[in-house]
Amino acid sequence: MTTKHTVAILGPGGTGGLLAALLSRSGHRVVCLARRATADTLRSTGIQIRSSQFGDFTARVEADTELREPVDACLVTVKHTALDAALTRVPPAVLGDALVVPLLNGVEHAAALRARYRPDRVAPAVIRVESTRLAPGVIEHGSPFTEIDLTGDPVPRPRLESLAAALSASGVATRVLGDETAALWAKMTFLAPFALLTTRHGLPLGEARTRHREELQALVAEAGAVSRACGVPADPAQALSRYDAFPPSTRSSMQRDAEAGRPLELDAIGGALLRAAERHGVPVPVTARLVGELRAAGH
């Protein structure tokens, strides 16, 4: 029998709202942390999920503007652009011994969180899902899969396994990986070329990978070279075949943010890749050009 957890969800949007509802439905206590208006809505109406994988259902959750009591884990599911402001909702003294599980893009956030919370309780994770918040407490889950890789080199393995079991029992295919650097860079080397190319050209992946093939190949090669310099193997040919297998209409979350006029995670993705490249002396001219062009466009 899976241990029942108390889980805080910092940022109950597309990803956080889906995880909150799934955990609640499977019997865990869930406390969503958000702005007052959102918290009020979630308390009164719960979270409505529309999903082909999980069905349509409504889950009851607790909600507040900040964490006021200890929990077993806090899932950090805000965008990187909102991270600093959101963390004020989770006072370190209140959080105590809880796992801090960031499901963020990029590779630099783990160090920032370890400077604020117990370093041996920060467990970076990678999630593969397409899920969108249509309104506060209304989530549309579009992908036929929801998968999490949970890591955390200094975190006690039993703590990771216990949370992974709870997530898996709720329907999220979760595995514990032993090398957090490898997990984060595997996501980065896939996401950065995809996000930069689709956002720069304002095209869905199908058109972008066809009309700008050489640029995509260069981005993949550069990201792979940086990953290898960081000690993580990368296979550019495999990455290209993954892009080619995606539906032509696929758009990156960065591209969707640009179209909606929201702040982009350009620094967390493109900026972090450039900083790692500079540290290791890896030339990345195409990546640098696209990041520069997106910044020049006001992003």
Side-chain angles (χ1 to χ4, degrees), residues 77-108:
T77 52
V78 295
K79 288 286 183 75
H80 210 291
T81 49
L83 180 61
D84 288 344
L87 290 178
T88 62
R89 303 189 191 282
V90 185
V94 178
L95 189 67
D97 187 51
L99 290 185
V100 179
V101 184
L103 294 121
L104 276 71
N105 292 323
V107 293
E108 297 174 337

Side-chain angles (χ1 to χ4, degrees), residues 1 8 15 17 71 115 118 152 159 169 174 212 219 225 231 271 283 288 294:
M1 180 177 168
T15 297
V71 293
R118 281 190 58 170
R159 294 289 300 270
T174 305
H212 301 281
L219 289 168
L294 285 166

Side-chain angles (χ1 to χ4, degrees), residues 20-37:
L22 291 171
L23 286 165
S24 173
R25 184 169 73 162
S26 63
H28 301 281
R29 182 181 172 216
V30 175
V31 183
C32 293
L33 305 174
R35 289 190 289 264
R36 182 166 300 283

